[in-house]
Amino acid sequence: MSGDTGREVGFDCQVAKVHSTADITSGMEQVTMSDRFDCDNCKESLYGRKYIQADGGHGDNPYCIPCYDSLFANTCDECKELIGHDARELFYEDRHYHEHCFRCFRCDRSLADEPFTSQDEALLCNDCYCNEFSSKCVACDKTVMPGTRKLEYGGSTWHEGCFICHSCEQPIGSKSFIPDKDEHYCVSCYEDKFAPRCTRCKKALAKGGVTYRDEPWHKECFVCTGCKVQLAGQHFTSREDNPYCLKCFGSLYSKKCEACSKPITGFGGGKYISFEERQWHQPCFTCTECSVSLVGAGFFPNGDQILCRDCNTNSNL
């Protein structure tokens, strides 16, 4: 809580001295030696003495100086002594001070005309408050003054201008950054210095990507060698270290089923039958005449045909 400088307080009063002359003028009223002119409190005569004509809710009665101070003066919160009528009085939050008592709790500097702060009822100048309670910048080791722009990360504090990229030494400000041990990098510097390079485009991989044969790739760069479709998250295979989607691999390199002419890839647990130089998908390995499945059964080749036992017998009748 920041405080304001104290200001003078007190009652409006007139200090006068009554001389033992025949006629004494106080304002517009004449006082003669035959009239009594006493202190309203101690009743002692005020002739030849200084007195105070008090205003501000205390009537217009005169008081001798000791009585006025004892009745109406405030007590200094610091030294606990009365603040006399002729002293400059400062107050803050219902506490009153002599001018010379209104000082910083730490460095004893006068706060009469200085900005200050109250901490647990102790008065502190701004410098002492900042040194004791404000954070210090981990880069320059100077106090981060209240109200100044700062950055906080990992329990540490920086002046905005002190939080810089370890590589290019430019202020990071509110931009994204990447920590590396006790150092901080802007994104572009970190990518140039540490990020792996895509095998295809040679650009840095800031995040994500895929690994194929222990090499990093951008997802968008890891594509089928044949049709260029992205392979990330898809089943694929390779030939001579080049990745292919299953469709392209089957079309380019797989053997064809003798029955349906489609590629036999063997992917996904598919089984196939091979006989001499011919191959069939397992569901396609059927009798040419009656279409009964020949998987696990005897069959008879007849030119380009394969026949079950019954159809082979009938063809020989």
Side-chain angles (χ1 to χ4, degrees), residues 40-109:
D40 192 64
N41 183 57
C42 68
K43 307 305 180 182
E44 292 186 6
S45 175
L46 296 177
Y47 286 114
R49 301 172 60 188
K50 289 183 179 180
Y51 70 93
I52 296 176
Q53 193 84 31
D55 293 328
H58 298 280
D60 295 327
N61 298 325
Y63 295 87
C64 65
I65 299 301
C67 285
Y68 179 86
D69 285 344
S70 65
L71 290 172
F72 306 120
N74 293 304
T75 300
C76 177
D77 194 73
E78 180 65 24
C79 70
K80 310 305 179 186
E81 295 182 2
L82 290 177
I83 304 173
H85 68 281
D86 55 350
R88 184 183 179 195
E89 180 178 350
L90 306 176
F91 72 89
Y92 171 69
E93 291 190 346
D94 297 326
R95 290 178 282 168
H96 299 260
Y97 300 86
H98 293 104
E99 181 179 13
H100 60 271
C101 292
F102 196 65
R103 311 185 75 82
C104 174
F105 179 73
R106 287 284 182 267
C107 67
D108 204 38
R109 171 182 175 181

Side-chain angles (χ1 to χ4, degrees), residues 166 178 180 183 185 189-197 204-205:
H166 184 73
I178 301 173
D180 183 68
E183 299 169 349
Y185 295 86
C189 285
Y190 184 85
E191 291 177 353
D192 290 341
K193 190 175 181 68
F194 299 107
R197 301 279 170 174
L205 276 82

Side-chain angles (χ1 to χ4, degrees), residues 23-32 35-37 53 60:
D23 296 307
I24 299 173
T25 303
S26 175
M28 299 300 294
E29 182 182 0
Q30 274 196 337
V31 179
T32 66
D35 297 324
R36 294 194 59 82
F37 189 66
Q53 193 84 31
D60 295 327

Side-chain angles (χ1 to χ4, degrees), residues 2-188:
S2 296
D4 298 321
T5 54
R7 59 188 178 88
E8 292 184 62
V9 296
F11 306 110
D12 292 333
C13 60
Q14 296 174 342
V15 181
K17 183 175 182 180
V18 179
H19 300 275
S20 56
T21 56
D23 296 307
I24 299 173
T25 303
S26 175
M28 299 300 294
E29 182 182 0
Q30 274 196 337
V31 179
T32 66
M33 292 293 291
S34 60
D35 297 324
R36 294 194 59 82
F37 189 66
D38 301 332
C39 170
D40 192 64
N41 183 57
C42 68
K43 307 305 180 182
E44 292 186 6
S45 175
L46 296 177
Y47 286 114
R49 301 172 60 188
K50 289 183 179 180
Y51 70 93
I52 296 176
Q53 193 84 31
D55 293 328
H58 298 280
D60 295 327
N61 298 325
Y63 295 87
C64 65
I65 299 301
C67 285
Y68 179 86
D69 285 344
S70 65
L71 290 172
F72 306 120
N74 293 304
T75 300
C76 177
D77 194 73
E78 180 65 24
C79 70
K80 310 305 179 186
E81 295 182 2
L82 290 177
I83 304 173
H85 68 281
D86 55 350
R88 184 183 179 195
E89 180 178 350
L90 306 176
F91 72 89
Y92 171 69
E93 291 190 346
D94 297 326
R95 290 178 282 168
H96 299 260
Y97 300 86
H98 293 104
E99 181 179 13
H100 60 271
C101 292
F102 196 65
R103 311 185 75 82
C104 174
F105 179 73
R106 287 284 182 267
C107 67
D108 204 38
R109 171 182 175 181
S110 174
L111 300 177
D113 298 304
E114 297 286 339
F116 62 91
T117 302
S118 177
Q119 182 71 23
D120 296 329
E121 296 191 356
L123 301 176
L124 298 170
C125 65
N126 273 6
D127 290 342
C128 288
Y129 178 84
C130 292
N131 289 334
E132 186 162 347
F133 298 104
S134 295
S135 303
K136 283 188 178 293
C137 173
V138 296
C140 68
D141 200 37
K142 295 181 179 178
T143 301
V144 180
M145 299 296 288
T148 59
R149 295 177 66 87
K150 64 180 180 180
L151 291 103
E152 295 179 330
Y153 173 75
S156 298
T157 304
W158 289 261
H159 292 109
E160 185 179 42
C162 292
F163 191 66
I164 61 176
C165 171
H166 184 73
S167 181
C168 67
E169 298 185 349
Q170 293 300 308
I172 294 175
S174 59
K175 296 182 293 185
S176 298
F177 68 93
I178 301 173
D180 183 68
K181 298 179 181 177
D182 293 331
E183 299 169 349
H184 306 89
Y185 295 86
C186 62
V187 174
S188 59

Side-chain angles (χ1 to χ4, degrees), residues 241-271:
D241 293 337
N242 294 317
Y244 289 89
C245 67
L246 301 187
K247 182 177 181 180
C248 285
F249 184 85
S251 298
L252 293 171
Y253 302 111
S254 296
K255 294 179 180 181
K256 304 297 189 292
C257 175
E258 189 72 17
C260 69
S261 299
K262 293 181 180 180
I264 300 174
T265 63
F267 298 118
K271 297 180 179 180

